[in-house]
Amino acid sequence: MKKQEIKKLFEKVKEQNPLVHHITNNVTINDCANATLAIGGSPVMATSVEEVEDMVKLADALVINFGTIDDATYAAMVRAGQAANNKEIPVIFDPVGVGATPFRTDRARDFLERVNVSIVRGNASEVFALVGGEASTRGVDSGILSISEIDLAHKAATELQAITVISGERDTISNGNDLVQIDNGDIWLTKITGTGCMTASLIACFAGVTEDSFSAAIAGMSVMSLAGERAKKTLQNKEGIGTYRMRLMDEIFLMDEQLWAEGVRLS
């Protein structure tokens, strides 16, 4: 298990303050920026095709999120992704809603042909669509699949040649050979907007300080799952989803290697 290697990444993020360039969706852009700050990174959200290449030159990692994709945004994503490849910094791809419409799915597959992605993070339906599968997808929610998440993670990591992170009741991460599952989390993480998008930002912060993308993916995904679990435990009677959202950000901010090592459940 990689717990010792991952523990070291928390201090590295806080020391190096990695700059994470996001081209993300308009619904969750503020959440992604705040999650990046909370864990110790620095966010930038430049989306204009005229400046994304210059911004990538300053960055330590790039997040591409398909949540509110359109033609202009897509052109900027491709240009930024290719610039990140030239600089040899990690590209974290969040295929939000892929599989729901042909436009979104076609753009995602085209993006993967034109940009070398280090880490893919999505739900099972989104990842299944990336490797040519069809699932019952409703908006950004996962549907019913004909393949287990373990098999899907291995298949996607191999075919996409990228670390694959599948969020779910048990989060599953594969590099094509090794596989880790995370047993933390809470159902309330699915009741607020942006937890998946924020997870991509957290992964990018860790990826920006190490060449070990597998450890970075485990770290970012597990921080969100553990923070969600811890936030739920702090709630008092009659405190609801609004308070939970605030407490979730608190728990991300408070997370360090000790809290993580004591609370994370990896298998």
Side-chain angles (χ1 to χ4, degrees):
M1 196 58 67
K2 303 176 74 67
K3 288 183 74 170
Q4 291 304 315
E5 293 93 330
I6 293 170
K7 283 176 64 177
K8 298 174 184 176
L9 296 180
F10 285 86
E11 192 62 34
K12 288 183 71 174
V13 169
K14 288 179 169 55
E15 287 177 353
Q16 297 182 27
N17 186 226
L19 180 64
V20 179
H21 181 190
H22 295 70
I23 304 181
T24 189
N25 82 72
N26 297 332
V27 177
T28 64
I29 190 168
N30 186 63
D31 296 316
C32 293
N34 282 322
T36 301
L37 289 167
I39 200 65
S42 180
V44 62
M45 271 60 182
T47 60
S48 173
V49 71
E50 289 83 7
E51 71 167 345
V52 290
E53 290 173 293
D54 291 327
M55 193 61 74
V56 166
K57 292 176 183 178
L58 305 175
D60 298 294
L62 172 68
V63 173
I64 298 294
N65 179 302
F66 261 36
T68 48
I69 186 75
D70 57 31
D71 284 337
T73 304
Y74 180 68
M77 289 175 170
V78 171
R79 187 170 292 188
Q82 292 174 343
N85 288 167
N86 290 336
K87 191 185 177 185
E88 298 184 344
I89 63 171
V91 178
I92 293 80
F93 180 42
D94 195 338
V96 176
V98 168
T101 68
F103 171 81
R104 193 173 289 265
T105 304
D106 290 345
R107 288 295 187 277
R109 293 174 181 168
D110 180 70
F111 182 79
L112 290 171
E113 289 182 0
R114 300 171 70 179
V115 175
N116 294 323
V117 169
S118 302
I119 302 169
V120 173
R121 189 231 66 87
N123 65 39
S125 291
E126 292 161 348
V127 174
F128 196 42
L130 290 179
V131 295
E134 294 185 6
S136 175
T137 303
R138 186 166 64 96
V140 300
D141 296 329
S142 187
I144 300 171
L145 305 184
S146 58
I147 184 174
S148 73
E149 292 188 1
I150 288 176
D151 290 339
L152 175 59
H154 276 312
K155 175 181 175 67
T158 301
E159 293 189 9
L160 303 176
Q161 295 187 312
I163 307 299
T164 299
V165 181
I166 300 176
S167 58
E169 187 174 348
R170 296 183 80 197
D171 305 313
T172 305
I173 303 162
S174 176
N175 62 7
N177 295 309
D178 305 309
L179 184 136
V180 169
Q181 289 192 294
I182 302 165
D183 293 315
N184 301 95
D186 191 275
I187 189 64
W188 277 30
L189 284 169
T190 68
K191 304 300 183 183
I192 59 175
T193 300
T195 53
C197 302
M198 285 189 279
T199 301
S201 297
L202 296 174
I203 290 172
C205 288
F206 289 105
V209 299
T210 180
E211 295 182 358
D212 183 357
S213 293
F214 191 38
S215 290
I218 297 168
M221 186 71 248
S222 60
V223 164
M224 176 57 71
S225 296
L226 179 56
E229 183 179 288
R230 288 174 57 86
K232 181 69 170 298
K233 291 177 180 178
T234 70
L235 296 182
Q236 304 298 314
N237 186 36
K238 294 187 178 181
E239 289 183 334
I241 205 71
T243 304
Y244 177 74
R245 184 187 187 92
M246 178 180 64
R247 298 280 173 80
L248 175 64
M249 193 63 70
D250 285 346
E251 292 296 336
I252 294 171
F253 176 76
L254 294 170
M255 192 69 62
D256 59 20
E257 63 271 19
Q258 182 175 345
L259 286 176
W260 180 84
E262 291 173 353
V264 73
R265 297 190 299 279
L266 304 178
S267 59

